[in-house]
């Protein structure tokens, strides 16, 4: 279920992300999932003794222009280490979210263009002097997203990914 998927992300992926990554862009499919994930991460951060507002910022299609400007600037300048956003926001606004060195898709993106754009932005970061080991793209997916995954990596790779054990990690070269 969707709740299990989000709990899995918060339980497995979040501790590794928060401890080691700065400039992490987390992309979820919709505002509904963004709000659910934001609430779960807020309680997780506060349980660990942190302050949600100091670590994360949120940008989505319903954010005000002022909020978008403040959050994008804080993320770009490194004052917030994680930005939470939606696929819809990235698709329609087409912002280049500067400061993103690591992109985590919570669910396979419905539109491959979103994935390609984020990889392209990371490649630009690499050309500007960032080392390749300092950039990454992760897609956290479930079997329910088979068609989106197929659009992203092709039929043969999607079949291999979906047939693999649930804890298996895959790595593809971006360059």
């Amino acid at each position: 279920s969707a709740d299990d998927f989000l709990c899995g992300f918060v339980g497995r992926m979040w501790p590794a992300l928060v401890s080691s990554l700065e400039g992490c862009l987390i992309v979820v499919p919709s505002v509904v999932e963004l709000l659910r994930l934001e609430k779960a991460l807020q309680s997780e951060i506060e349980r660990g003794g942190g302050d949600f507002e100091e670590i994360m910022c949120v940008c989505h299609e319903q954010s005000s222009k002022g909020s978008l400007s403040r959050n994008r600037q804080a993320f770009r300048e490194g004052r917030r280490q994680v930005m939470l956003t939606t696929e819809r926001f990235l698709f329609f606004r087409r912002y280049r979210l500067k400061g993103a060195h690591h992109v985590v898709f919570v669910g396979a993106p419905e539109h491959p263009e979103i994935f390609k754009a984020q990889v392209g932005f990371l490649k630009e970061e690499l050309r500007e002097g960032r080392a390749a080991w300092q950039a990454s793209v992760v897609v956290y997916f479930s079997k329910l997203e088979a068609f989106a995954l197929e659009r992203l990596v092709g039929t043969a790779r999607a079949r291999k990914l979906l047939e693999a054990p649930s804890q298996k990690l895959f790595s593809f070269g971006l360059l």
Side-chain angles (χ1 to χ4, degrees), residues 48-153:
D51 182 13
F52 180 81
E53 299 293 324
E54 290 181 10
I55 296 172
M56 292 191 73
C57 59
V58 180
C59 289
H60 54 82
E61 56 273 16
Q62 297 172 0
S63 300
S64 68
K65 287 184 180 182
S67 173
L68 286 176
S69 294
R70 281 189 304 276
N71 287 336
R72 288 175 57 215
Q73 183 176 10
F75 186 65
R76 180 180 59 245
E77 293 173 355
R79 290 183 282 130
R80 302 290 182 278
Q81 71 184 70
V82 178
M83 178 183 281
L84 190 57
T85 191
T86 64
E87 286 181 40
R88 184 177 170 88
F89 174 79
L90 294 175
F91 186 80
F92 287 108
R93 294 287 181 108
R94 305 286 179 170
Y95 282 134
R96 176 177 182 217
L97 297 172
K98 294 181 180 178
H101 311 304
H102 306 280
V103 181
V104 178
F105 288 93
V106 180
E110 283 294 319
H111 300 282
E113 299 85 19
I114 295 169
F115 182 83
K116 290 175 187 173
Q118 296 309 311
V119 170
F121 296 151
L122 285 178
K123 285 181 180 180
E124 287 178 26
E125 293 274 336
L126 294 175
R127 283 193 288 272
E128 293 172 3
R130 182 167 287 282
W133 62 269
Q134 294 175 312
S136 64
V137 178
V138 175
V139 179
Y140 187 74
F141 65 92
S142 73
K143 294 182 188 248
L144 299 174
E145 299 161 326
F147 292 120
L149 192 61
E150 184 178 2
R151 285 190 293 273
L152 196 60
V153 298

